[in-house]
Amino acid sequence: MNWLTNYVKPKLRDLVRQKEIPDNLWHKCTKCGQMIFHRDLDKNHQVCQHCGHHMRLSVTKRLELLFDEGEYTRAELPDVPSDPLKFTDRRKYKDRIKEANAKTKEEDALIVAHGKMGGQNVVIAAFNFAYMGGSMGTAVGEGLVAASKLAIVQDAALIVVPASGGARMQEGILSLMQMARTTIGVERVKEAGLPYIVVLTDPTTGGVSASFAMLGDVAIAESGAVIGFAGRRVIEQTIREQLPDDFQTAEYLYEHGMVDMVVRRHELRPTLINVLSLLRNTKPAADVVELSSEDSPVESEVVDNINDIPPPPDIRRPDGAPISEETPADKPKKDEETPAE
C-alpha cells in the first residue's frame, strides 16, 4: 500500500493534473490584435512583428539599447522633498509614492545615465512611464538640471528620452515651475556648445512637451508615438470638430514640420550615432595635404580686350537671308545719285 500511495498515485495525479500556464507568456498587440510570444517580443525590442507597431519599452531596456554594449553608469540625483504640499485627493500622495517605489524599484520617474555611444561621451536622461505615468515633479526637474550639469562637466552630448503624461498634479505649482527650470538647464548645455537631442517616445504630452521636449537641436520621434499638449478628446470638445485619425502622431508632426525625423526603434541607435558624429566631429576626416606649385592648377587668362571676343554665330533674317557684317554706314545708298562729272 505504501508503494501505491507514495509512488503510483502521485505519478497518476501528475498525468491528469492540468498544468498552470503563466499569463505573461503571450502578449496581444494593441494595434493589430495578434498574439506574440514574450521572447519574440523581447528580441524585437517590443515591436510587433506583424504590423510594426511600437509598444512601450521599459527605461532599463531603452538604456541598454542606446549605450555601447549596453553598459552605462547611473548618476546619483539630488534628494528633494517627496510630498512638499502634503497633498491628498482620494489617497495620500505619500501612499502613491510608496506604491510607485515598490512597483518600479526606483526613486522617481527619471533615470540619468552616462557612458559611450558610438565611442562618444553622452548623458541620457530617460523617463520611466511605469512610475506614475512618467509625470514631472520636483524630483524630475532636479534630475534634468543635474543631467545638464553633468553633460557640461563631461563635455558630452545630452540626450533626453521623454515618456510622460505631463506635470504631476499632486505637486501643484511646484511641478509647473520645473518647466522653466528644465528650460534653463537646456540653455546652459547649448551655451556650452554641446548638442541637445530629444527622442520623443510614446507618450510625450502636457507640460513635458510644452518645455524641454520641444527644444532639441534635433528632434527625433519614434514611429507611432503620441506627441502633443492637450488630449485628443479635450481638443475635439473645445473646437467641436472631428480630428484626423493620425492626429498627434509622430508621422503627423513630421508632415507639419514639428519634428526633424521619424525613426523606427531598430534604427534609433545608428541614427543617433550618425547625428552625434555630424555635430561633434567638425574636423576633416583625413589630414589636409597641401598642393605643391607643380600640382597647382594654372589659372586661365582673362580676356580683357573686347576685340578678341569671337564673333557671334551665323545670324539670319526671318526670310533666311544672312545678315551682312557691314554696318549700315558702309553700305551705299540705292537712292543716292552718283555725282555728275
Side-chain angles (χ1 to χ4, degrees):
M1 292 296 294
N2 292 337
W3 178 75
L4 293 175
T5 304
N6 299 333
Y7 184 77
V8 177
K9 189 176 180 179
K11 290 291 184 181
L12 294 175
R13 187 184 294 114
D14 292 340
L15 290 175
V16 299
R17 181 185 300 172
Q18 186 177 2
K19 296 182 179 180
E20 297 180 358
I21 301 176
D23 298 333
N24 58 350
L25 292 182
W26 293 85
H27 298 274
K28 184 178 181 180
C29 177
T30 55
K31 185 174 182 181
C32 66
Q34 292 288 338
M35 299 300 295
I36 310 172
F37 192 53
H38 70 106
R39 292 181 181 176
D40 296 336
L41 193 60
D42 292 340
K43 186 178 179 180
N44 209 29
H45 304 303
Q46 300 297 315
V47 177
C48 178
Q49 57 190 2
H50 302 285
C51 65
H53 175 62
H54 286 53
M55 304 180 192
R56 290 169 184 168
L57 188 65
S58 65
V59 62
T60 54
K61 294 289 185 181
R62 186 173 294 280
L63 292 176
E64 293 175 0
L65 176 65
L66 295 180
F67 282 103
D68 292 347
E69 308 297 334
E71 298 179 357
Y72 58 89
T73 303
R74 293 187 54 168
E76 185 177 353
L77 302 181
D79 295 331
V80 296
S82 58
D83 187 10
L85 302 180
K86 310 298 180 184
F87 188 86
T88 302
D89 48 6
R90 295 180 180 178
R91 297 173 56 192
K92 291 183 178 180
Y93 181 39
K94 281 187 176 181
D95 296 338
R96 294 182 184 272
I97 292 177
K98 291 179 181 179
E99 181 181 352
N101 293 342
K103 177 182 176 181
T104 62
K105 309 299 181 183
E106 300 290 346
E107 295 297 327
D108 214 277
L110 185 71
I111 294 178
V112 177
H114 58 93
K116 298 284 186 179
M117 182 182 294
Q120 301 187 57
N121 294 331
V122 292
V123 175
I124 299 180
F127 278 70
N128 187 2
F129 189 78
Y131 193 102
M132 299 185 67
S135 54
M136 180 176 64
T138 53
V140 172
E142 288 289 345
L144 284 170
V145 172
S148 64
K149 294 179 180 178
L150 181 61
I152 296 173
V153 171
Q154 294 189 354
D155 190 33
L158 177 60
I159 301 176
V160 177
V161 188
S164 172
R168 190 172 298 176
M169 57 167 291
Q170 290 87 350
E171 297 187 16
I173 189 62
L174 297 177
S175 64
L176 297 179
M177 291 171 61
Q178 308 311 312
M179 298 172 62
R181 298 188 73 248
T182 54
T183 302
I184 294 174
V186 168
E187 290 300 323
R188 289 178 178 175
V189 174
K190 294 183 178 182
E191 290 175 357
L194 300 172
Y196 172 61
I197 302 174
V198 180
V199 180
L200 302 168
T201 64
D202 182 62
T204 301
T205 56
V208 171
S209 64
S211 55
F212 62 89
M214 289 298 177
L215 298 177
D217 299 325
V218 179
I220 303 174
E222 271 194 343
S223 178
V226 175
I227 306 166
F229 180 68
R232 179 190 181 94
R233 183 176 58 184
V234 175
I235 298 175
E236 288 181 341
Q237 293 176 353
T238 303
I239 65 177
R240 297 181 181 179
E241 291 184 7
Q242 184 69 28
L243 297 173
D245 295 335
D246 60 345
F247 181 70
Q248 288 186 335
T249 61
E251 290 75 10
Y252 184 88
L253 267 66
Y254 176 75
E255 293 177 358
H256 291 76
M258 294 296 294
V259 297
D260 297 311
M261 61 183 77
V262 177
V263 181
R264 300 186 63 82
R265 188 168 293 164
H266 299 84
E267 304 170 355
L268 182 59
R269 172 179 155 81
T271 301
L272 285 171
I273 293 175
N274 187 30
V275 171
L276 288 174
S277 62
L278 293 175
L279 296 177
R280 300 303 306 270
N281 297 334
T282 57
K283 297 181 180 180
D287 296 335
V288 179
V289 180
E290 296 182 359
L291 295 175
S292 62
S293 58
E294 298 177 356
D295 299 335
S296 59
V298 180
E299 297 182 359
S300 59
E301 296 182 357
V302 181
V303 180
D304 295 333
N305 192 353
I306 193 172
N307 296 326
D308 296 337
I309 299 177
D314 186 17
I315 303 176
R316 296 177 177 270
R317 294 191 179 94
D319 58 358
I323 299 176
S324 176
E325 296 182 0
E326 297 179 355
T327 59
D330 298 336
K331 295 182 180 180
K333 297 180 181 181
K334 295 180 179 180
D335 298 336
E336 184 179 357
E337 296 180 358
T338 57
E341 296 181 354

